[in-house]
C-alpha cells in the first residue's frame, strides 16, 4: 500500500503540472478531425474501385481509423525520448536519489498526462464517434474496452522505456528510436488493419506485443470479438505487461550500474 500511495501522490503532482499545459491537448482536438477527413477521402478513393477490401467495408474502415486514433490518444507517450535525454545529459542521477524508483517516476508522469488526455481528447472523440458513426457498445463491452486500453497503455509505456534505456549502449539513438516509432505504428495497426499485410504476417503479429497496443483494442471496440475472445485479448495483454516489465527491470538494473559512465 505504501508504494501505491507514493505513486498516486506523484500522479496528482504531475496531473496538476500537466494541466497547466492543457492547451497542448486541446490542439489535438483541432488536428484530429483534419486527419480523419484525410483518411476519409483517401479510403473513399480506394473503395470506389471495390466495395469490400480484406473484409472491410468503407464504413468499417472509417470506424476502425477513428477508434485507432482514440486508442492512440490514450496510450501515447514520449517516455523513450525523455529517458534518453536524462541519460545523455547525466540527469538520471537526480532521479536515482529520489525515494521512488526511476520507472515509477516516469510512469506517474505519463499516467497523469493520459488522465488529462482521457478528459479532453478521448471522451470528446468517443462522444462524436457514437453520434456520427453510430457506434454503440453494451455496458460490458465498454468495461472490456477500458481495461484493454489501460493495459495497452502499459505495454506501450514499457516498450518506450526500454527504447530509452538503449541510450546507455547506443549513444545518439534518436534515429533508432524514430525507426522503432514507425515500426511500432505499422505493427500495431495504426496505418492500416493488420489483415491487409496478408495471412502469414497477421498470424505472426499475434505473437508480438504490438498487436495488443492498438489493433487488438480496436477489434474489441468494433464488436468483432465475442466476450470470451475479448477477455482472451486482455489476458494476453496482461502477460505481455509482465514480460515487458521483467525485461525493463532486467536492463534497468544493468544500466544503473553503469549510470555514472554516461553523460558525466
Amino acid at each position: 500500500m505504501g508504494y501505491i500511495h507514493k505513486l498516486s501522490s506523484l500522479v496528482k503532482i504531475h496531473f496538476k503540472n500537466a494541466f497547466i499545459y492543457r492547451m497542448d491537448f486541446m490542439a489535438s482536438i483541432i488536428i484530429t478531425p483534419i486527419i480523419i477527413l484525410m483518411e476519409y477521402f483517401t479510403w473513399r478513393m480506394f473503395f470506389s474501385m471495390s466495395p469490400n477490401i480484406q473484409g472491410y467495408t468503407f464504413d468499417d474502415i472509417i470506424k476502425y481509423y477513428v477508434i485507432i486514433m482514440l486508442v492512440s490518444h490514450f496510450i501515447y507517450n514520449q517516455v523513450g525520448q525523455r529517458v534518453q535525454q536524462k541519460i545523455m545529459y547525466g540527469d538520471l542521477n537526480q532521479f536515482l536519489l529520489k525515494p521512488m524508483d526511476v520507472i515509477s517516476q516516469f510512469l506517474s508522469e505519463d499516467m497523469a498526462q493520459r488522465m488529462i488526455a482521457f478528459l479532453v481528447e478521448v471522451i470528446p472523440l468517443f462522444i462524436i464517434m457514437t453520434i456520427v458513426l453510430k457506434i454503440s457498445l453494451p455496458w460490458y463491452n465498454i468495461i472490456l474496452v477500458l481495461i484493454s486500453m489501460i493495459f495497452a497503455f502499459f505495454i506501450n509505456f514499457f516498450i518506450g522505456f526500454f527504447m530509452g534505456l538503449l541510450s546507455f549502449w547506443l549513444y545518439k539513438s534518436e534515429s533508432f528510436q524514430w525507426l522503432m516509432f514507425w515500426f511500432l505504428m505499422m505493427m500495431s495497426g495504426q496505418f492500416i488493419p493488420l489483415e491487409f499485410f496478408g495471412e502469414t504476417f497477421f498470424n505472426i503479429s499475434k505473437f508480438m506485443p504490438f498487436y495488443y497496443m492498438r489493433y487488438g483494442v480496436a477489434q474489441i471496440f468494433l464488436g468483432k470479438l465475442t466476450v470470451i475472445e475479448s477477455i482472451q485479448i486482455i489476458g494476453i495483454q496482461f502477460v505481455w505487461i509482465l514480460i515487458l516489465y521483467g525485461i525493463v527491470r532486467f536492463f534497468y538494473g544493468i544500466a544503473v550500474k553503469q549510470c555514472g559512465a554516461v553523460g558525466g
Side-chain angles (χ1 to χ4, degrees), residues 71 75 144-155 209 211-217 220 230-244:
V71 175
I75 71 173
L144 291 172
V145 166
L146 287 174
I147 295 173
S148 186
M149 286 175 63
I150 292 170
F151 282 5
F153 162 79
F154 282 105
I155 290 174
Y211 178 98
Y212 305 94
M213 286 167 52
R214 292 181 177 88
Y215 179 85
V217 184
I220 299 175
S230 298
I231 293 173
Q232 288 175 343
I233 290 286
I234 291 171
I236 295 172
Q237 284 180 310
F238 183 71
V239 170
W240 271 115
I241 289 171
L242 295 179
I243 292 172
L244 292 168

Side-chain angles (χ1 to χ4, degrees), residues 42-221:
T42 299
W43 284 104
R44 172 60 75 185
M45 179 183 65
F46 284 113
F47 278 94
S48 65
M49 296 178 282
S50 174
N52 190 293
I53 302 176
Q54 290 291 334
Y56 284 81
T57 65
F58 177 70
D59 287 343
D60 288 338
I61 205 72
I62 296 303
K63 289 177 182 178
Y64 174 85
Y65 271 104
V66 173
I67 291 171
I68 285 292
M69 291 195 70
L70 186 149
V71 175
S72 295
H73 282 320
F74 187 77
I75 71 173
Y76 175 78
N77 70 65
Q78 290 183 314
V79 66
Q81 295 92 318
R82 300 203 315 274
V83 171
Q84 178 197 25
Q85 289 172 1
K86 298 298 180 185
I87 293 171
M88 287 177 59
Y89 298 110
D91 296 332
L92 199 63
N93 290 317
Q94 300 174 13
F95 283 74
L96 293 171
L97 297 174
K98 295 180 180 180
M100 288 288 287
D101 68 276
V102 174
I103 298 174
S104 298
Q105 292 178 57
F106 280 98
L107 178 61
S108 64
E109 184 175 352
D110 276 5
M111 288 174 66
Q113 290 179 352
R114 291 308 95 199
M115 286 168 63
I116 297 175
F118 184 78
L119 295 174
V120 302
E121 294 178 316
V122 176
I123 291 179
L125 185 57
F126 178 77
I127 293 172
I128 293 170
M129 181 181 69
T130 53
I131 295 173
V132 177
L133 299 180
K134 296 180 174 60
I135 295 178
S136 60
L137 294 172
W139 64 268
Y140 53 84
N141 250 41
I142 294 176
I143 293 174
L144 291 172
V145 166
L146 287 174
I147 295 173
S148 186
M149 286 175 63
I150 292 170
F151 282 5
F153 162 79
F154 282 105
I155 290 174
N156 196 35
F157 173 82
F158 287 126
I159 290 175
F161 195 94
F162 175 73
M163 291 296 105
L165 281 180
L166 292 180
S167 297
F168 274 104
W169 302 281
L170 299 174
Y171 189 66
K172 292 287 185 181
S173 61
E174 292 97 334
S175 299
F176 177 76
Q177 287 208 30
W178 186 248
L179 178 64
M180 285 302 300
F181 171 77
W182 288 104
F183 176 77
L184 291 177
M185 297 274 276
M186 181 187 73
M187 294 295 291
S188 63
Q190 175 74 30
F191 301 133
I192 58 175
L194 296 180
E195 295 97 329
F196 285 46
F197 291 109
E199 185 178 356
T200 301
F201 179 93
F202 180 73
N203 290 331
I204 292 174
S205 69
K206 291 182 180 180
F207 295 94
M208 300 180 184
F210 323 118
Y211 178 98
Y212 305 94
M213 286 167 52
R214 292 181 177 88
Y215 179 85
V217 184
Q219 296 309 297
I220 299 175
F221 224 131

